[in-house]
Amino acid sequence: MRHPEGMRHPESGDRKAATTSGQRSLEDLHIEFRARSGELQRVRTLLRAWLAGTTLGPDRAYDLLLAVNEACTNAVEHGHRGDGRTIVLHATATHSIRITVSDSGTWRAPRADEEVDRGRGLPMMNALMPGTRVVSGADGTTVEFVVSPTTEERSDPDAGQRSRRSSAEQP
């Protein structure tokens, strides 16, 4: 999948004008990266910078970053099994924030000899971002996250207040 000409990364500094919905309309973020675990830090860094330009609060942005990172990791580890082929992350922020992670890999059923301490990625993504959609087919898998900029931040039920995370805890 190729991105249209003129699409820029967040470090370009280009921003669109504010929209009437109150959500700042950022340039779309489009990242194509190889299915290698070494690429994930760069993807997180670019996405974190892009999310900082949205109206999401820091806790909600962190939850979204964590969920998207899990989708990217799954695409590398399970969809492509580290074969180095291309994975695409695309993010838009017009009326809502929409992020998709797409790969052209194939699903592999877990082997009997694999660790049993696996299989928590999809439930984690859904817990962080309710309504996460996963569509798998012959052409690969796409994970979609859609967040309204007015969505309230997740509360920490143990503390009775919003959970706070330090920057050291961010992936």
Side-chain angles (χ1 to χ4, degrees):
M1 179 187 303
R2 303 294 320 178
H3 64 282
E5 291 299 317
M7 210 170 276
R8 294 182 174 89
H9 290 283
E11 64 268 17
S12 70
D14 292 333
R15 299 278 187 260
K16 291 182 182 175
T19 64
T20 57
S21 70
Q23 171 69 37
R24 220 175 16 199
S25 181
L26 303 175
E27 289 289 324
D28 291 357
L29 174 65
H30 186 92
I31 307 168
E32 294 183 12
F33 62 100
R34 296 284 174 212
R36 303 260 187 247
S37 60
E39 292 280 316
L40 296 172
Q41 182 177 358
R42 179 180 68 86
V43 172
R44 281 192 307 271
T45 299
L46 291 170
L47 181 58
R48 183 181 293 118
W50 186 85
L51 285 168
T54 71
T55 59
L56 286 181
D59 288 347
R60 196 68 180 144
Y62 178 82
D63 288 348
L64 183 54
L65 178 68
L66 187 59
V68 172
N69 182 66
E70 181 64 21
C72 292
T73 301
N74 284 350
V76 169
E77 187 176 326
H78 302 298
H80 285 286
R81 293 177 286 290
D83 66 9
R85 291 188 0 222
T86 302
I87 299 169
V88 177
L89 181 151
H90 189 81
T92 61
T94 9
H95 301 290
S96 61
I97 296 167
R98 180 177 182 264
I99 301 175
T100 58
V101 176
S102 301
D103 68 62
S104 59
T106 56
W107 185 260
R108 177 185 62 86
R111 294 185 312 255
D113 63 339
E114 286 184 324
E115 291 182 39
V116 260
D117 195 24
R118 308 274 312 179
R120 292 188 175 90
L122 291 174
M124 182 181 77
M125 285 186 276
N126 277 308
L128 291 165
M129 291 290 122
T132 297
R133 281 182 8 142
V134 179
V135 178
S136 289
D139 294 339
T141 300
T142 297
V143 181
E144 177 185 56
F145 305 93
V146 179
V147 180
S148 168
T150 59
T151 302
E152 292 198 22
E153 293 185 5
R154 194 169 50 95
S155 294
D156 182 352
D158 296 330
Q161 61 188 6
R162 288 186 183 149
S163 68
R164 296 285 175 214
R165 295 177 181 95
S166 71
S167 60
E169 294 175 309
Q170 294 183 1

